[in-house]
Each structure stands twice: as C-alpha cells, then as structure tokens.
Amino acid sequence: MEKEVVSRNFIEQYIDQDLKEGVYTGVCTRFPPEPNGYLHIGHAKSILLNYGLAKEYGGQFNLRFDDTNPAKEETEFVESIQRDIEWLGVDWKEHLYFASDYFEQMYQAAEALIKKGKAYVCDLSAEEIREYRGTLKEPGKESPYRNRSVEENLDLFRRMRAGEFEDGSRVLRAKIDMASPNINMRDPVIYRIAHLSHQRQGDAWCIYPMYDFAHPIEDAIEGITHSICTLEFEDHRPLYDWSIRETADDMHYPSTPRQIEFAKLYLTNVVTGKRYIKKLVADGVVDGWDDPRLVTIAALKRRGYTPESIQRFVELCGVAKANSSVDYAQLEFCIRDDLKLKAPRMMAVLDPVKLVIDNYPDGQVEYLDAPNNKDNEALGSRKIPFAKELYIEREDFMENPPRKYFRMYPGNEVRLMYAYFVKCTDIEKDADGNVTVIHCTYDPASRGGESPDGRKVKGTIHWVAAPTAFEAECRLYENLIDEEKGVYNEDGSMNLNPDSLKIMEHCYLEPALADAKAYDTYQFVRNGFFNADAKLSEPGRPVFGRVVSLKSSFKLPKGN
Ligand code: ATP
Ligand code: MG
C-alpha cells in the first residue's frame, strides 16, 4: 500500500487531495488541441495522461477542439486529430466539443466583465500596447482608454461585434493591474477584431476571444475539474483563475477548474514542435504530415509503431515538473519490445550479391522449414524455397576479412540460416574490382543448418533463393534533424540530415512477402523490423520501410 502512495505522480497526488478535501466530487479532464496541425508524440503524452486520469478516477474525458483562431485552423486537422486519438485507444464517448460552440457564452462573459468595470475597449495599436506593457523590471503604463465608462465600453464592444470596425483598430482588454509583477496580468487583450471566416461558424463572428480568456471559460463551461497543461502556462495561471472567478457569478459554471502544469515531452534528436513539422511539410522536405521520419502520430502509425508501444513509452516517461528530453532510443525500445513476439521473422536481402552453390543440382528448388518466430510458436512455421543460386547480403562477404570476421570469406564455412553449411571456394569480379558472384559448395548432410558431425561454424547468414525471390524497394530512415545541434543553421535554413532517407531499390525478399498489406509488420532477420508502407504500397507490390533496427542502446530502468 505504501509503495502505491509513493509511486503516485504529483498530479495524482493533487487530485487525491482535492477529492479528499471535497473540493471536487469527481474528476473531469480534457484534451484541447488546436486544429492547426497534426498531433505529435508530445500530444500523445498529454492525451494519454488526461484520458488515463479520467479512467483511473472513474471520471469523464472530453475531447475539445480549441478552435478560436480561424486564421490557422482547418477541417483536415479536425479529422486527422480524431483519427489519431482514436487510434491511440482513447474513447471520448459522446464528449466531443468545440470551443467555437461557446462563442456566444464567451461573448456574454466579456459583456459581464464590462458591466462590472473589469474590461474596457482600448484603441491603442498592437505596437503601443506592447510599449505600454512594460518589462519584467518596469511596471506598465495605463492605457488612455482605460477609464472609459461602462456605457461607452458596452457600446463600442457591441459595435465591434457588429463589424463596424477594422481589424486591429480596437481590442477588448481585461482591467486588472498594469503594475502587476506578472506581465500576463497587465490588462491582457481578451478579444480582437478579425474579419475571418471560421471553419465551423462561417461569418457569424468578426471578433474572436484570445486563448487566455477563452480557455478557462471553455474548461469551466464543460465542468472540467483538473485542467492539465504544459509548463509554459504556469505564468498564465493567475489569469486563468481570474477569468473564471470574475465571470462566475454571471455564467453559473458547473465547476471551478484547477490548472495543473507538467513538463512537455521532448525527444533527443527529433523535432516535436508543430511549428517545425509544419515547415518541413510546407517545404516539401517530407512527403506529408505522415512521413515516416516525423514523430506525428500519423507518421508513427505509418512507420509501424503500435498504439501499445506508444502507451508503454508514455508510461515509461512518467510525469515531471521540469523540462527534459527523453532519449529517442526509449521510444524505439518500446516498439522493438512490442514487435519482438508479434512480428513474423522473414528473410530479406537489402544489398544483394549473388551466391552460387556449384555442387547443388541445376534447376532444383527445395522447400525448407523455418519457424515464423522461434520465440513465439503460436505464429507457426513456413516453407522457404532454396536453390542453386541465392542472394546474400553484400556485407556478409569479405575477400580480406579482419580478425573476428566470422561470415563468408574465401575458404570459410558458414551456415545459411535454416538451410545448409556452405564453404566459399571462389569469387568473380567486375572490371572495377567489385565482387559480382561468390561461389561455394554445400554439404548436403547439413540440411536444416544442423551440423552433420559436430563440426562448428561461427557465422550464420541469411539468404533468399534467386529464382523465387521477390524484388522490392526497402527504405531505411534516420533522424531528419538533430535538434540538439540546432534546428536552424546560421543562414536560416534547416539543419537537415542528408541521410535521413535511404532508398534501397533492388532488395530481394522471400516470396511470401509479396502478399504484405499496408501496415503489415515483419522482422527481416538481422536487418530490423519493417512494415509495408501504407502510402507507397500497392496490392502485390509492397514497399517496405524500416520501423526500427534490432540493436538497442536503451536499457529499461529497474522496476519496469
Ligand atoms: P506545439 O508545441 O507542438 O506547437 P501546441 O501546444 O501548440 O503544440 P496544441 O494543439 O495547442 O498544440 O496543444 C494541445 C495540448 O497538447 C496542450 O494542452 C499542450 O499543452 C499539449 N502539448 C503540446 N505539446 C506537448 C508536448 N511536447 N508534451 C506534452 N504535451 C504537449
Ligand atoms: Mg498551441
């Protein structure tokens, strides 16, 4: 029991206490995405955290689109966000909401503030407002419009709504304290004029609420109890509380939500910010928001990640109060571990060189048994064709090997996985000295790759029979950008890794892989986990991309 208490994260501890003290009788959380891009791995953390808390406390989870800025928002994003959240395994049931549906209530809340003398229409320009705001060291200056009468403010605000004024000519500001040490409290703008069509509201509005005013009201209207957000909003919390407190008498909210901040999830060597991802998409560096090199949820799905692997990753990350980066290898560990037993293990040669078994009968094809996953018998077994001519991996042969190279070289005997022992006898080269054919002899007594007489071979290599091989394209990925080295170069261009996409056009695969359908995932022995790319594959013509390599630099911490 004690361990249970100790291992509760700080958010759970706050909630436990709130429930114990009767501040709230239940728990209601939300995920409030702005539909201005696709969700990424950082959002997955927030989604699973909020959803997990609602489930843990038997509460409610709302998905609410924070669609208060029509300039950047699109229906495509509203749809992709729902698709991705559903894929993550989150069920918001009937609790799908749109902030724009509360525009009328927000407007009424703003009028209520005006009537209380807590908000005023200000005619300063955006630049002047910035100048008047002061700095961290110096207090701000009051706007000359700060002491307009309630009547004048109401009249002007109503005329703002009616569309009488141009964009940027006036704003509505909260009347709080220009000398506050917290700059967010120095009469923040809460409504602006923007003659823009809204993707859901059409032209119903030409004034739009600012995030810091809209967000708390959205939470309060929905009866959210714990409004969990990221650290950059910590300094905004006093304004969050102010907006709810000052409008509560008029709005009769079902709850007074409590804002709790946690640290954003950052990954090493990867850009997670929507802004950066958007630029990579817009510049055509990637083939869309779901490019397998990105860490959007759509990209992770296309890359071959599973919802389970992402859930596990988020759990391993935990919830922290201080910003830090999580090693990208930890994410890779989670998918590797998830696929280890699930994925069939097949043979695929990515960089082929021909191997000819001189003493094997011409024209013969025999079928050898191979387990589909030796660690998971439930996946069964299959027959793999074997023939005189095979392909092996170019790097599995060396003419002049260094010490401790146990794979194929002249005179050395190795095991062809599930097949036979073969000994290299000769090689052919082209005019440039590249090896074109490797010759060998096989020991028919070693069928199945078993030693016939107790003699040992140190190397086991994979292969594909040439006559039955299926030729396909395989793609290898590396990180697009090393964020730690800086997203931008000095000249303002993005610091891209030129090797982030490697296309291997002529790979030879076991024939069974020709049937792979979008998202089907395999282990290609010794080469990593691969899946059929959902965007590039066609029926009977799959294109494979590497989900993750087999080697890991990440070790699971004790206790997991
Ligand atoms: P980005 O920082 O990538 O531009 P955003 O914060 O602008 O994303 P929103 O749609 O406004 O994107 O965010 C929805 C929710 O997701 C917010 O509550 C935000 O705090 C949370 N969130 C965004 N990025 C992360 C992250 N890296 N880790 C955890 N939560 C995040
Ligand atoms: Mg945002």
Side-chain angles (χ1 to χ4, degrees), residues 144-208:
Y145 305 98
R146 197 174 199 262
N147 295 314
R148 275 179 165 152
S149 69
V150 168
E151 292 67 35
E152 190 183 0
N153 280 320
L154 259 188
D155 173 61
L156 285 171
F157 189 50
R158 287 174 181 166
R159 287 164 61 196
M160 276 169 66
R161 176 180 185 168
E164 283 189 34
F165 309 122
E166 277 173 39
D167 291 3
S169 60
R170 297 198 153 89
V171 291
L172 184 70
R173 299 176 68 175
K175 191 171 182 175
I176 309 179
D177 178 7
M178 288 308 291
S180 170
N182 183 337
I183 294 183
N184 296 303
M185 300 298 274
R186 294 182 190 168
D187 292 9
V189 174
I190 58 176
Y191 260 92
R192 64 184 174 124
I193 303 172
H195 290 267
L196 288 172
S197 274
H198 186 278
Q199 89 269 10
R200 286 175 56 86
Q201 304 295 331
D203 296 321
W205 295 89
C206 63
I207 54 172
Y208 291 98

Side-chain angles (χ1 to χ4, degrees), residues 528-549:
F529 291 98
F530 284 73
N531 85 341
D533 188 297
K535 209 160 174 176
L536 303 173
S537 299
E538 286 165 32
R541 282 204 59 81
V543 169
F544 292 91
R546 181 150 72 187
V547 185
V548 67
S549 64

Side-chain angles (χ1 to χ4, degrees), residues 43 91 96 114 129 250 273 305 317 328 330 346 383 386 394 412 455 473 484 490 508 516 542 549-550:
H43 295 119
D91 180 5
L96 171 64
I114 294 173
I129 289 179
D250 298 274
Y305 277 78
C317 290
Y328 185 72
Q330 185 168 323
M346 314 288 277
K383 299 272 186 198
F386 184 85
R394 190 166 280 279
N412 190 38
R455 77 176 188 273
E473 176 183 312
E484 287 181 354
E490 272 175 23
Y508 289 107
S549 64
L550 296 176

Side-chain angles (χ1 to χ4, degrees), residues 34 36 43 211 232-233 274:
E34 185 179 0
N36 63 354
H43 295 119
Y211 181 88
E232 71 272 27
F233 292 105
K274 210 174 339 191

Side-chain angles (χ1 to χ4, degrees), residues 438-458:
I438 302 163
H439 289 273
C440 65
T441 55
Y442 85 121
D443 179 354
S446 60
R447 195 171 195 270
E450 306 289 340
S451 178
D453 53 10
R455 77 176 188 273
K456 292 208 162 61
V457 291
K458 283 204 168 143

